[in-house]
Amino acid sequence: MMLVLRCGRAVVRRGSSWCVLTALALLVTLPRPVVAAGDPLPSWKDTAPKKAIAEFVSRVTNRGSSDFVAPEARIAAFDNDGTLWAEQPMYFQMLFAIDRVKELAPQHPEWKSQEPFKNLLAGNTREFLAGGEKSVQAALAVSHAGMTTDEFVDTAKNWLRTAKHPKTGQPYTRMVYQPMLELLAYLRANGFKTYIVSGGGVEFMRAFAEEAYGIPPEQVIGSSGKLKYEVRDGKPVLVKQPAVQMVDDREGKAISIQTIIGRRPIAAFGNSDGDQQMLEWTTAGPGARLAVLIHHDDAAREWAYDRKSPIGSLDKALDEANAKGWTVVSMRGDWKTVFPK
Amino acid sequence: MMLVLRCGRAVVRRGSSWCVLTALALLVTLPRPVVAAGDPLPSWKDTAPKKAIAEFVSRVTNRGSSDFVAPEARIAAFDNDGTLWAEQPMYFQMLFAIDRVKELAPQHPEWKSQEPFKNLLAGNTREFLAGGEKSVQAALAVSHAGMTTDEFVDTAKNWLRTAKHPKTGQPYTRMVYQPMLELLAYLRANGFKTYIVSGGGVEFMRAFAEEAYGIPPEQVIGSSGKLKYEVRDGKPVLVKQPAVQMVDDREGKAISIQTIIGRRPIAAFGNSDGDQQMLEWTTAGPGARLAVLIHHDDAAREWAYDRKSPIGSLDKALDEANAKGWTVVSMRGDWKTVFPK
């Protein structure tokens, strides 16, 4: 507004609106300010990570900077589980799968005597999980496949609306991290396109990503199952198959970024070894780069786990972060709040 | 500008720039006009397809219309080969593969006696193509795999810069359709997000899509090969593998739209049976929908082919278009010009 006020009198004197027009045109075309009114990251303490983020944003958005990046290339990639929302005691999508298996059980009496369903239905979660990848895949297959994509979205949305987290009693979509919501908004206000790049299922994440994070479906990248095109009553449907199309984890994250976005992100945010290659791929490009790991070290407000956790293990990526100077965010030390109030 | 001029004197009299400010704010926030100055589709004759397109755009962009679609849901999907650029005497990417095999031949003396390379190198294109999918895949594998994604883009860009079409003598990127360039721009001016959804290779198309069509990498969807993540000299690279990850053709187009965009397009443009399912999927959604097939019936200015062509066969999709009232564009009858001048 300063520009307008400064030449306000000239407008009156010369009977011309040219000055105001020019000033306004300038206001409209000038890049939006890096920092909006007030602190755009109020839930972040004034510690090193907040400074690193602000400095990076300033460097890539300042036209005078040698690290300036055109808005269309300002791609930021975010892992979801453990980075944007919580992931304990197990991935929320797995809790959805378990609830779904229970719901479908009356139609499948054979599951009572058939593993991994027997353990799962009996509530022996530890024994179920001891079956590893094979058990998890079996539960995902029966809970996610067989429906059309539209039916699946309805099912997932309904669960997200009604289910409660076993420890906090909160709906899962309230277990998103407030500081990360602010970060997403801050980056978007600075011209960034924010993507989710997660091992979670793409259709599952799209059921809440727009409402929870402001991230539209086309900016959600995840693991995906095979789909089958069928025409039912003259109308095409896509039916979810019990087979994996793409696993968007570890190396798969760099691969799906290349295949789907086709541009290398300039900033990436993760929390586990599953994000290591995404951060490597992001930081290997030229110019200013930002790689951030969220470290779950806050047993009081969230959970504390890292190297030896069966879920969201952060081990090799933490070593690489320390060696390469990636930004490590301590939930305990760097965040004023964790969940939205 | 009218709004500003009308209240110009009031500014002088009242010594306030409020009126200009308000008018300008209005100008900035008002939706852009549906039709830009002049005819936005000058290469289209005033025949039925142009009217169908304009009417559709008006319906989905007019806030008063019951068919109004919010800008973020204005997704338009375009096939590439035969829809945005030519595809005869064979897909241009195949001509690239052939040139590449010739270039690599000195390093592969065994190809002289090994099909399909023997026929290909001897210029027996018909015999080579008689080998069908297997021959094509073999040529694509040796010409596209083994490189990093960065090396491949350089190779493809270099070929696109230097290679000439065997019939027209033009660079391939000059064999894009002028009416379709206007259509892409017209849709984007009306808030549409224009996507390529093509059977062509995603990395190959991205090598020219932004410059030729104004379509950024993240809006290019195509067939893709498997990639392998490797760290070379401490830097990660993605190496193209001789194996298919996804075939973006026929049913695959609806599937990749769902998996990658996650929204159903409201408009789709194709030219062959490979686009049939994309048009079915697009038109099966609620509200106003636009399905368009480009019919190659212009032997004088381009090529004339449809039901029996080995490349870009348009047979079942043409029957469905006639039955369902999809828009069929006659290159001869509906376009004033075909290629850019």
Side-chain angles (χ1 to χ4, degrees):
Chain A
M1 278 301 167
M2 279 307 288
L3 281 167
V4 175
L5 293 177
R6 250 186 244 150
C7 61
R9 285 189 60 82
V11 175
V12 181
R13 249 187 247 129
R14 288 199 259 138
S16 150
S17 57
W18 188 249
C19 178
V20 175
L21 279 170
T22 310
L24 272 163
L26 269 170
L27 274 177
V28 170
T29 55
L30 275 175
R32 273 177 285 184
V34 173
V35 176
D39 181 355
L41 300 174
S43 299
W44 292 70
K45 295 187 191 168
D46 289 324
T47 45
K50 183 174 181 171
K51 284 174 195 153
I53 292 166
E55 196 210 301
F56 167 77
V57 170
S58 166
R59 282 170 71 188
V60 299
T61 56
N62 184 341
R63 284 195 181 269
S65 157
S66 60
D67 286 321
F68 177 77
V69 175
E72 62 271 20
R74 291 183 203 155
I75 306 284
F78 289 81
D79 169 58
N80 183 45
D81 297 302
T83 299
L84 294 181
W85 76 354
E87 61 181 353
Q88 297 291 354
M90 70 179 85
Y91 299 126
F92 295 173
Q93 191 176 356
M94 197 62 224
L95 294 167
F96 162 71
I98 291 172
D99 282 354
R100 183 94 189 121
V101 167
K102 289 178 183 163
E103 201 179 304
L104 294 170
Q107 298 160 47
H108 295 273
E110 73 278 13
W111 288 352
K112 278 184 194 160
S113 55
Q114 187 185 320
E115 294 298 358
F117 308 108
K118 190 178 160 189
N119 267 325
L120 199 158
L121 293 170
N124 304 327
T125 311
R126 192 166 301 177
E127 289 78 358
F128 162 77
L129 287 175
E133 188 68 8
K134 206 181 140 194
S135 294
V136 169
Q137 282 303 332
L140 286 174
V142 303
S143 58
H144 284 62
M147 280 173 278
T148 68
T149 47
D150 286 349
E151 288 163 355
F152 179 78
V153 168
D154 288 345
T155 306
K157 283 193 171 173
N158 188 48
W159 183 81
L160 288 160
R161 201 164 37 232
T162 54
K164 301 279 164 65
H165 187 275
K167 184 182 161 191
T168 66
Q170 291 285 322
Y172 293 97
T173 49
R174 294 285 296 170
M175 294 184 67
V176 297
Y177 303 132
Q178 178 62 27
M180 297 307 283
L181 298 182
E182 294 166 7
L183 180 56
L184 286 166
Y186 173 58
L187 290 174
R188 288 195 292 257
N190 280 283
F192 280 77
K193 213 164 170 178
T194 52
Y195 277 86
I196 290 176
V197 180
S198 167
V202 68
E203 312 256 9
F204 182 76
M205 293 190 291
R206 282 182 184 144
F208 65 92
E210 185 136 38
E211 209 178 311
Y213 308 131
I215 297 182
E218 66 270 26
Q219 284 162 230
V220 178
I221 298 174
S223 297
S224 54
K226 288 196 187 294
L227 296 175
K228 186 164 177 249
Y229 186 90
E230 281 181 20
V231 177
R232 292 182 180 173
D233 300 326
K235 272 209 159 189
V237 291
L238 293 171
V239 184
K240 287 172 74 67
Q241 306 294 301
V244 170
Q245 169 68 25
M246 193 177 77
V247 177
D248 189 37
D249 200 26
R250 300 182 181 268
E251 290 83 359
K253 291 202 177 195
I255 291 169
S256 67
I257 284 170
Q258 173 66 17
T259 306
I260 296 176
I261 309 179
R263 303 190 200 254
R264 195 191 297 253
I266 59 170
F269 304 82
N271 76 299
S272 78
D273 283 1
D275 303 310
Q276 189 176 6
Q277 288 79 5
M278 175 167 77
L279 269 57
E280 288 173 353
W281 181 247
T282 298
T283 51
R289 303 279 153 168
L290 180 67
V292 177
L293 284 173
I294 309 298
H295 190 189
H296 294 262
D297 58 359
D298 194 335
R301 298 185 301 176
E302 206 241 4
W303 281 270
Y305 59 96
D306 50 28
R307 296 187 188 271
K308 290 183 179 166
S309 173
I311 299 279
S313 166
L314 176 63
D315 183 29
K316 287 183 186 170
L318 189 56
D319 292 338
E320 189 168 352
N322 291 332
K324 293 190 172 169
W326 294 347
T327 297
V328 179
V329 174
S330 158
M331 290 179 86
R332 194 181 47 199
D334 298 317
W335 285 359
K336 288 184 198 165
T337 54
V338 175
F339 298 116
K341 290 201 174 123
Chain B
M1 278 301 168
M2 279 306 287
L3 282 167
V4 174
L5 293 177
R6 252 186 243 152
C7 61
R9 285 189 60 83
V11 175
V12 181
R13 251 187 245 129
R14 290 200 259 139
S16 151
S17 56
W18 187 249
C19 176
V20 176
L21 279 170
T22 310
L24 271 163
L26 268 170
L27 272 177
V28 170
T29 56
L30 275 175
R32 272 176 287 186
V34 172
V35 176
D39 180 355
L41 300 173
S43 299
W44 292 71
K45 295 187 191 169
D46 290 324
T47 46
K50 183 176 183 171
K51 284 173 196 156
I53 291 165
E55 196 210 301
F56 168 77
V57 170
S58 165
R59 282 169 71 188
V60 299
T61 57
N62 184 340
R63 284 195 180 268
S65 157
S66 60
D67 287 322
F68 176 76
V69 175
E72 61 272 19
R74 290 182 204 155
I75 305 285
F78 288 82
D79 169 59
N80 182 46
D81 297 302
T83 299
L84 294 180
W85 75 354
E87 60 181 354
Q88 296 291 354
M90 71 178 86
Y91 299 126
F92 295 173
Q93 190 177 354
M94 196 63 225
L95 295 167
F96 162 71
I98 292 172
D99 282 354
R100 182 95 189 119
V101 167
K102 288 178 183 164
E103 202 178 304
L104 294 170
Q107 298 159 46
H108 295 273
E110 73 279 10
W111 288 353
K112 277 186 194 158
S113 55
Q114 186 185 319
E115 294 298 0
F117 308 108
K118 190 179 161 188
N119 268 324
L120 200 158
L121 292 170
N124 304 328
T125 311
R126 193 165 303 179
E127 289 78 358
F128 163 76
L129 287 176
E133 188 69 8
K134 207 181 138 193
S135 294
V136 168
Q137 282 304 332
L140 286 174
V142 302
S143 58
H144 284 62
M147 279 175 278
T148 68
T149 47
D150 286 348
E151 288 163 355
F152 179 79
V153 168
D154 288 345
T155 306
K157 283 194 172 173
N158 188 48
W159 183 82
L160 288 161
R161 201 166 35 233
T162 54
K164 301 278 164 65
H165 187 275
K167 184 183 160 190
T168 65
Q170 291 286 320
Y172 292 97
T173 50
R174 294 284 299 169
M175 293 184 67
V176 297
Y177 303 132
Q178 178 62 27
M180 298 305 283
L181 298 182
E182 295 166 6
L183 179 56
L184 286 167
Y186 173 58
L187 290 175
R188 287 194 292 258
N190 280 283
F192 280 77
K193 213 164 171 178
T194 52
Y195 276 85
I196 291 177
V197 179
S198 167
V202 66
E203 312 256 9
F204 182 76
M205 294 189 291
R206 283 183 184 144
F208 64 93
E210 186 136 37
E211 209 177 311
Y213 308 131
I215 297 182
E218 66 270 28
Q219 284 161 230
V220 178
I221 298 173
S223 296
S224 54
K226 288 196 186 295
L227 297 175
K228 185 163 177 250
Y229 187 91
E230 282 181 19
V231 178
R232 293 181 180 174
D233 300 327
K235 270 208 160 190
V237 292
L238 293 170
V239 185
K240 287 171 74 67
Q241 305 295 302
V244 171
Q245 169 69 25
M246 193 177 78
V247 177
D248 189 37
D249 199 27
R250 300 183 182 267
E251 290 83 358
K253 292 202 177 196
I255 291 169
S256 66
I257 284 171
Q258 174 65 19
T259 306
I260 296 176
I261 308 179
R263 301 188 200 254
R264 196 190 295 255
I266 60 169
F269 305 82
N271 75 299
S272 79
D273 284 0
D275 303 310
Q276 190 175 5
Q277 288 80 4
M278 175 166 76
L279 270 58
E280 288 173 353
W281 181 246
T282 298
T283 52
R289 302 278 152 169
L290 180 67
V292 176
L293 283 173
I294 309 299
H295 191 190
H296 294 262
D297 59 359
D298 195 335
R301 298 186 300 175
E302 206 241 5
W303 282 270
Y305 59 96
D306 49 29
R307 296 185 188 273
K308 290 182 178 167
S309 173
I311 298 279
S313 167
L314 176 63
D315 183 28
K316 287 182 186 170
L318 189 56
D319 293 337
E320 189 168 352
N322 292 332
K324 293 189 174 171
W326 294 347
T327 297
V328 179
V329 174
S330 158
M331 289 180 85
R332 194 181 46 200
D334 297 319
W335 285 359
K336 287 185 197 164
T337 53
V338 174
F339 297 116
K341 291 208 174 119

